[in-house]
């Protein structure tokens, strides 16, 4: 494949497409937003990435994070029944638990059962670092210890982006577009503060939608002036 068939996609675009696609699912909005970086990190770390998102979108749409069940054994070890959920869906809860346990003890360890696509669980190692956790994934066991926070995966993506086949990226783009309101005269007339006529002419702005408040700016300026000796 030639370089002309490979796109270098930056984090802003990857995040935007992921957020739109996850909004098509039945996941709670707050939880879906937690997954925005998941596909980008998967791509950057050489895992399934956007190709995996494309092939697994239907299963992800039907995901249910409430099926996760955590139990604590008599010796204090943690065990999570993942309820057949995708590793991407399990990841936020696993990281939260690892952070909590690592802060309370010298380290943390969770045994994961009934998990699908366990190969994507390696993402915990990349995400963990930015949370100050050195995470290790070994089969069904995820462990962690505290460490200085850093984010080499995101730093690399911000600097160089991710190389994605053009054909794949434009399919992802087309899928993400289905989350948007179709372009029409009506949709354009309701976008932003501009007043748009039926024939598409922009004739002004609605003052009540303008978020600029000069009175606030003036009051701040007066207070600053009064405080100056």
């Amino acid at each position: 494949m030639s370089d002309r068939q490979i796109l270098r996609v930056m984090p802003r675009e990857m995040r935007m497409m992921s957020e739109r696609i996850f909004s098509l699912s039945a996941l709670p909005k707050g939880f879906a937003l937690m997954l925005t970086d998941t596909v980008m990190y998967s791509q950057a770390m050489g895992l399934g990435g956007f190709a995996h998102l494309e092939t697994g979108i239907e299963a992800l749409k039907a995901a249910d994070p409430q099926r996760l069940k955590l139990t604590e054994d008599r010796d204090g070890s943690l065990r999570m029944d993942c309820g057949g959920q995708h590793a991407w869906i399990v990841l936020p809860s696993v990281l939260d638990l690892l952070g909590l346990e690592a802060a309370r003890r010298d380290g943390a360890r969770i045994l994961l059962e009934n998990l699908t696509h366990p190969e994507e669980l390696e993402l915990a190692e990349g995400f963990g670092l930015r949370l100050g956790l050195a995470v290790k994934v070994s089969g069904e066991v995820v462990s962690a210890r505290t460490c200085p926070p850093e984010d080499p995966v995101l730093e690399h993506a911000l600097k160089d982006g991710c190389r994605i086949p053009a054909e794949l990226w434009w399919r992802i783009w087309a899928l993400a577009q289905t989350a948007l309101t179709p372009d029409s005269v009506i949709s354009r007339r309701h976008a932003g503060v501009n007043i748009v006529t039926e024939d598409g002419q922009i004739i002004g702005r609605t003052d009540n939608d303008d978020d600029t408040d000069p009175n606030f700016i003036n009051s701040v300026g007066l207070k600053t002036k009064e405080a100056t000796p």
Side-chain angles (χ1 to χ4, degrees):
M1 182 174 289
S2 67
D3 288 341
R4 289 183 299 177
Q5 294 174 302
I6 296 290
L7 300 178
R8 188 172 69 171
V9 186
M10 302 307 289
R12 177 184 180 276
E13 284 69 33
M14 288 187 282
R15 285 168 164 164
M16 185 183 300
M17 297 305 109
S18 296
E19 181 179 346
R20 290 177 181 175
I21 291 172
F22 281 123
S23 74
L24 297 170
S25 72
L27 292 168
K29 186 171 179 61
F31 188 89
L33 290 173
M34 293 172 64
L35 302 179
T36 299
D37 280 359
T38 302
V39 190
M40 176 177 67
Y41 272 62
S42 180
Q43 185 76 36
M45 293 176 65
L47 302 173
F50 284 93
H52 188 65
L53 174 63
E54 182 185 35
T55 58
I57 184 58
E58 293 305 320
L60 288 165
K61 283 182 180 180
D64 182 7
Q66 294 189 35
R67 295 181 62 182
L68 306 182
K69 295 181 180 180
L70 181 68
T71 58
E72 184 175 2
D73 294 337
R74 290 184 177 180
D75 62 358
S77 60
L78 298 177
R79 181 187 304 267
M80 178 182 288
D81 181 347
C82 300
Q85 299 299 295
H86 192 290
W88 290 357
I89 305 301
V90 176
L91 183 64
S93 298
V94 169
L95 289 172
D96 283 348
L97 288 168
L98 288 174
L100 178 63
E101 287 298 299
R104 293 165 50 185
R105 309 176 183 182
D106 292 336
R109 181 181 181 276
I110 305 175
L111 173 64
L112 303 179
E113 300 174 322
N114 197 14
L115 173 74
T116 61
H117 302 287
E119 69 280 1
E120 290 291 314
L121 199 60
E122 188 178 332
L123 283 169
E125 298 180 3
F127 276 105
L129 288 174
R130 74 180 187 179
L131 300 174
L133 294 172
V135 180
K136 181 180 180 181
V137 179
S138 179
E140 297 179 325
V141 177
V142 184
S143 57
R145 56 178 175 79
T146 57
C147 68
E150 58 176 333
D151 201 340
V153 177
L154 182 57
E155 288 178 5
H156 178 75
L158 288 169
K159 180 180 178 180
D160 299 318
C162 289
R163 292 170 60 84
I164 302 175
E167 298 87 347
L168 169 61
W169 180 251
W170 291 120
R171 291 197 302 270
I172 290 293
W173 179 87
L175 177 60
Q177 293 302 101
T178 64
L180 303 179
T181 301
D183 184 26
S184 66
V185 172
I186 294 178
S187 70
R188 293 180 184 182
R189 294 187 68 189
H190 291 80
V193 299
N194 292 321
I195 303 173
V196 184
T197 62
E198 291 185 5
D199 60 0
Q201 296 184 55
I202 299 176
I203 61 173
R205 291 166 58 93
T206 53
D207 292 338
N208 61 325
D209 283 339
D210 194 335
D211 59 2
T212 300
D213 185 354
N215 292 323
F216 173 75
I217 297 174
N218 185 50
S219 65
V220 172
L222 288 174
K223 290 179 180 178
T224 303
K225 185 176 180 179
E226 292 173 356
T228 303

